Amino acid sequence: MGDSATLEQSAGDIDEQVSGVVEQARELQDAASSHISRNSVEEQALRQRALSLDSNIHRLRSLIDSLHRNKILDPKLADKLDEDLQRARCILVDGDASSFLPGNAQGGFLRMFLGPINVRATRKDVQLKVKEEYNSYRDRTALLFLLFPSTLLILRSWIWDGCLPTFPVQLYQAWLLFLYTGLALRENILRVNGSDIRPWWIYHHYCAMIMALVSLTWEIKGQPNCTQKQRGVELFLQWAMMQGVAMLLQNRYQRQRLYTRIALGKAKRMDVVWGETAGVHGQLWLLCPILFILQGFEAYVGLLLLKTALVGVVSEWQVVFCGVLLVLMAVGNFANTVQTLMAKSRFKAKMKRSKSKQELN
């Protein structure tokens, strides 16, 4: 009886409860619309201030450079002012105000995979999470880059009698396609969010994606003369192992240096390790020979593939295509490494000149 009375009472005022919920929904909608409108006005004002400040920083840096070139401004003062402006620039682009600055254009690669979706995060903590996820992805893939080909080479000697079967190699090429596609997507998103990744490294991953895709259609020859026919595959797996070692070294040592540069205000929190630029002097003595050997070995593998196609051992078009791509990537990597080292050398020379002038004064 008690339950029936309660239900009857609830049925009597159910209409009022529903009306109250509808009214609350309308009030919440009006409040949310008003909040968004106010935030939009404030956001537009902050965007104008950020753009004005950014423009003013660039104007002042150009003015200081001009005064320094014309010997109107004391070099010591010019260096100090330039350093102060660099610090102000880092504060602007490395803090929450960076979301009000225009980002890098979203390229066709992202539009092809994701469509016309804006992938720029408005909050700095979200941007940093994207960067940390990218670093974690590099760490994981560096280990797999080392373990996957070494496992294939070990099994080739112990189980497969020196002749790789087709499926494991194609599985590895499919993993490479997934790896480089993931790297390219993450790097494009990082660039949109203000990272300093050089375009060449993204283009390098585009080339690697194409090579992995073409390699999936490459018929891997077996017996007879398996050793000769698979020489290119064997060298490619050995190069991949060296690449894994280089990635591990870069990820470990250079990221520590990048954190130091961020603390000194010489780099942004969204910057990432790309290549050899973040290493200190002692680390460069270790990394540079490895990088140059790796690039030379990459070009050697490419030329070997072209040679096997020309002499008729393996004459498929995929062999020629992959050989050309490997040579092009090796040349591009070498040119970019030399360019980076020259930029570091010029920067160090500038710092030494500045230090010498301070000691003379």
Side-chain angles (χ1 to χ4, degrees), residues 279-321:
V280 296
H281 182 71
Q283 295 167 6
L284 288 178
W285 280 107
L286 173 64
L287 286 173
C288 285
I290 293 178
L291 290 171
F292 285 128
I293 292 173
L294 189 67
Q295 293 156 9
F297 197 68
E298 184 178 22
Y300 173 68
V301 173
L303 292 174
L304 181 66
L305 291 178
L306 293 175
K307 180 181 177 181
T308 57
L310 291 176
V311 299
V313 176
V314 183
S315 58
E316 285 86 353
W317 67 271
Q318 294 94 332
V319 180
V320 178
F321 191 87

Side-chain angles (χ1 to χ4, degrees), residues 202-213:
I202 302 179
Y203 298 149
H204 176 273
H205 291 154
Y206 292 163
C207 294
M209 286 169 53
I210 296 172
M211 185 176 65
L213 183 62

Side-chain angles (χ1 to χ4, degrees), residues 198 261 274 276-277 284 335-351:
R198 284 192 175 183
R261 289 174 54 82
W274 40 262
E276 61 293 319
T277 58
L284 288 178
N336 196 75
T337 302
V338 172
Q339 181 184 3
T340 299
L341 293 177
M342 291 177 63
K344 285 181 68 68
S345 178
R346 289 193 297 267
F347 177 76
K348 288 182 179 180
K350 180 180 177 182
M351 293 297 294

Side-chain angles (χ1 to χ4, degrees), residues 14-25:
I14 187 66
D15 184 59
E16 295 180 2
Q17 293 183 32
V18 171
S19 299
V21 169
V22 173
E23 185 63 27
Q24 291 176 17

Side-chain angles (χ1 to χ4, degrees), residues 64-197:
I64 291 172
D65 290 340
S66 177
L67 293 174
H68 179 61
R69 283 195 304 269
N70 293 312
K71 299 181 179 180
I72 300 175
L73 191 63
D74 180 67
K76 183 177 179 181
L77 178 59
D79 291 339
K80 179 182 180 302
L81 294 176
D82 188 69
E83 185 176 345
D84 290 341
L85 286 176
Q86 176 64 24
R87 189 175 296 109
R89 170 72 179 168
C90 282
I91 293 173
L92 177 63
V93 302
D94 208 25
D96 294 328
S98 63
S99 60
F100 301 114
L101 293 173
N104 295 322
Q106 190 163 314
F109 186 80
L110 284 178
R111 289 196 298 270
M112 178 178 64
F113 278 90
L114 305 179
I117 298 175
N118 183 16
V119 296
R120 191 180 186 207
T122 57
R123 291 169 49 186
K124 179 57 66 173
D125 60 334
V126 177
Q127 293 179 351
L128 293 175
K129 285 181 180 178
V130 174
K131 173 193 168 181
E132 290 304 319
E133 198 282 332
Y134 169 76
N135 287 334
S136 298
Y137 186 75
R138 278 176 55 112
D139 291 338
R140 296 193 303 269
T141 54
L143 289 173
L144 289 174
F145 224 116
L146 182 61
L147 293 177
F148 210 146
S150 60
T151 301
L152 288 177
L153 290 175
I154 291 173
L155 292 177
R156 170 179 173 270
S157 301
W158 289 3
I159 298 178
W160 294 324
D161 296 327
C163 192
L164 287 165
T166 301
F167 177 72
V169 178
Q170 289 185 335
L171 182 63
Y172 175 63
Q173 296 292 353
W175 177 80
L176 285 180
L177 178 60
F178 171 79
L179 161 67
Y180 287 120
T181 303
L183 283 173
L185 283 170
R186 287 166 171 81
E187 288 165 351
N188 275 280
I189 292 173
L190 283 171
R191 278 186 58 83
V192 172
N193 283 277
S195 187
D196 71 331
I197 299 177

